[in-house]
Amino acid sequence: MNLYEQLLVVRERLEGIGAHDDSMDLVEKLLKKAEAARNDRTSISQVQVLRHMLRMPETLDNYNVYNDLQELISERDDAEIAAREDAAPAAYIDTERRPKPKSYYKDKARKEKEQKKG
């Protein structure tokens, strides 16, 4: 997703959490600036957009905007952690991967030598 699309998603998420009006104004201002990049193919992640917004002077000067953006980042982090935990196999599941005994490699080397000779 490009910058413009990511800002649209940020705006929707801010509306979803009932963000302060200052936060919505900041996103609208950034959307107007990013209008030129509407059809841009450059991909940017939402975390990058949020981190950039957190470093802006308008954000640093306004606690309401800063807190709203921090909430979005924490929600995203929680979702990513949950997704990683769901994707990982449970510790009690046996993966059936065991180291091979030394005799396996000796037999394999012997078979390769025999194939080269014969």
Side-chain angles (χ1 to χ4, degrees):
M1 295 175 85
N2 63 22
L3 176 62
Y4 187 80
E5 294 168 345
Q6 289 291 3
L7 286 171
L8 290 174
V9 172
V10 168
R11 181 176 64 184
E12 289 174 12
R13 290 184 62 202
L14 285 171
E15 288 172 354
I17 63 168
H20 197 267
D21 291 337
D22 293 341
S23 302
M24 301 306 290
D25 292 341
L26 177 64
V27 173
E28 291 300 326
K29 179 179 129 184
L30 292 173
L31 277 169
K32 287 179 185 173
K33 285 184 179 180
E35 186 76 33
R38 186 177 217 161
N39 297 322
D40 191 18
R41 288 185 163 179
T42 306
S43 182
I44 185 168
S45 71
Q46 192 172 24
V47 173
Q48 287 176 314
V49 173
L50 291 171
R51 286 182 182 158
H52 177 73
M53 289 174 70
L54 281 170
R55 290 190 300 260
M56 294 177 69
E58 296 91 348
T59 304
L60 296 173
D61 294 340
N62 190 330
Y63 289 116
N64 295 322
V65 176
Y66 186 83
N67 290 337
D68 289 339
L69 293 177
Q70 283 291 352
E71 187 174 343
L72 290 184
I73 287 178
S74 68
E75 283 179 2
R76 183 154 181 94
D77 290 344
D78 292 343
E80 288 176 2
I81 290 169
R84 274 190 244 126
E85 287 176 353
D86 291 343
Y92 57 84
I93 295 176
D94 191 12
T95 58
E96 296 295 325
R97 293 186 67 188
R98 306 230 185 316
K100 295 185 175 18
K102 188 175 181 181
S103 60
Y104 170 83
Y105 295 104
K106 285 183 178 179
D107 290 341
K108 187 175 181 181
R110 182 181 49 81
K111 288 179 184 177
E112 288 176 1
K113 285 181 185 177
E114 288 176 4
Q115 287 179 354
K116 287 180 183 178
K117 288 181 184 178

